[in-house]
Amino acid sequence: MKISVVGLGYLGAVHAACMARLGHDVVGVDVDPAKVEALAAGRSPFFEPGLDELLAEVAATGRLTVSTRIEDVAGAEVHFLCVGTPQRADGFAADLAFVDAAVDSLVPHVGTGAVVVGKSTVPVGTASRLADRVAAARPGAVLAWNPEFLREGLAVKDTLHPDRLVYGVPDGAAGESAVSVLDEVYASPLAEGVPRIVTDYPTAELVKVAANSFLATKISFINAMAELCEVAGGDVTRLADAIGHDVRIGRRFLNAGLGFGGGCLPKDIRAFMARADELGAGEAVAFLGEVDAINTRRRARMVELAVEVLGGSVDGAEITVLGAAFKPDSDDVRDSPALAVAARLSEMGAVVTVHDPQAIDNARVKAPDLRYEHDLEAALAGADAVLVLTEWRQYKELDAERAGSLVAQRTVLDGRNALDRSVWQAAGWQYRALGRR
Ligand code: UDX
């Protein structure tokens, strides 16, 4: 099929490459020339495992082209909208400026009978508003809403082999034709048996925010238990193992620590609260305010712990922060708990050195005043305390003895419950973690 992808960020670049991998002819469009240049040269504009290899593979087929000119989408049978919906500067609601601008620029080039497919995470009600706009500009074109559930770090796998496909479509013949077009787009995952749920626009939009709200709630639940463990003298990692054996609960996404960040979970739960309020149903998701509050309290607790182990003040202390990305296998620092803690400690007078295997360039833009070190051993040298705030493999595999020979004081704060406590203690480290004695 001939497909266009509008927006080539973390979602769109992966989607475009994966659609080409599935055998479609794809044109990707973005207003940012830097992204387009990188992709045109076969390079990913950000760090995502497997994406460079996939780009090289599809480049050889000639099935993926990229452009900054929206008119290049003309002739596509399917147009995917993959632009960002960040939090608005003036509150919790989602900023739909990029979605609206993308639709405005796209519709003049949409053919009669083409399907415009929204993938961005939007407040419920957006699809029906945009459907009217598409129909008014191009009679015969249809809008479908097909939310994306990919995880950064696993984005290629999640796109090629999703857990499920959700199509939000209008009633009647237009909806049926959108379903058959999407079935053709996703013929390969469907043939693998990936479940497909066909529903209306509001349900499709809500599926996405409901899933992210559930995941955020699960993380904040275990972090609330961590708070209890801290005051009662328990161990949240053992507690999670124990409750996780109940298959109704499950152990996945029950890792206590510094909490969630990134470009999705935090802003999606806030946008959901804002939208529910507008609809007069704010009470239904008021608990997400607590989920958010528990999450940010973990950052404050980590700062407190650093103050405590450094004898009551971090002023002048040399602190090494391992991790700047919001999670491992990503260079994304949007709403990163690790970077927030590093910045706070620096404001409090600590001399903070940040290491990250991939995210230093992005972190430097967000927090230019911190010291950054690309070499892990150099980052550890002379530290009064080491804070592990993103659970990169490199940190989990650190040799506690060797690391101990580099630092000034063997004090480690494990913000992700990622290290083997007994090994670090045996190497003479003072080991502290969130939610554990
Ligand atoms: C999330 C959703 O998982 C994905 O389905 C959606 O499409 C986009 O948002 P992502 O933002 O890539 O994906 O990250 P995810 O793996 O969900 O992790 C989110 C945050 O939660 C990270 O900061 C991570 O460190 C944290 N987390 C995750 C925990 O603190 N504990 C856990 O047990 C799991």
Side-chain angles (χ1 to χ4, degrees), residues 417-433:
N417 285 305
L419 306 179
D420 186 334
R421 174 169 64 179
S422 53
V423 170
W424 285 74
Q425 284 176 336
W429 285 78
Q430 177 190 194
Y431 173 95
R432 298 291 300 272

Side-chain angles (χ1 to χ4, degrees), residues 14 25 40 43 108 120 206 232 292 309 313 328 342 418-420:
V14 175
D25 277 325
R43 272 185 293 110
S120 310
L206 285 169
D292 202 7
V309 297
S313 166
L419 306 179
D420 186 334

Side-chain angles (χ1 to χ4, degrees), residues 148-152 208 212 215 219 253-255 259-261 264-265 326-327 337 391 416:
E148 177 56 53
F149 305 99
L150 66 79
R151 293 160 294 176
E152 288 178 29
K208 174 63 199 246
N212 275 357
L215 295 171
I219 298 169
F253 249 70
L254 215 50
N255 293 322
F260 59 81
C264 295
L265 260 45
F326 83 103
K327 70 175 203 180
E391 68 278 35
R416 293 289 178 181

Side-chain angles (χ1 to χ4, degrees), residues 386-401:
V386 177
L387 276 56
V388 179
L389 302 187
T390 311
E391 68 278 35
W392 283 94
R393 189 177 44 77
Q394 288 88 325
Y395 307 151
K396 293 201 263 189
E397 290 175 355
L398 261 177
D399 180 337
E401 272 301 342

Side-chain angles (χ1 to χ4, degrees), residues 230-299:
E230 279 157 17
V231 291
D235 184 326
V236 73
T237 64
R238 304 302 292 152
L239 184 146
D241 292 342
I243 64 171
H245 281 300
D246 183 332
V247 290
R248 293 170 303 173
I249 296 173
R251 182 64 178 83
R252 295 177 68 189
F253 249 70
L254 215 50
N255 293 322
L258 207 48
F260 59 81
C264 295
L265 260 45
K267 64 102 178 158
D268 285 353
I269 62 170
R270 292 175 196 149
F272 197 12
M273 286 187 274
R275 183 63 182 141
D277 264 340
E278 283 171 8
L279 294 169
E283 278 185 357
V285 290
F287 70 93
L288 291 175
E290 274 311 311
V291 167
D292 202 7
I294 292 165
N295 194 52
T296 35
R297 278 208 298 276
R298 294 288 76 193
R299 303 175 188 193

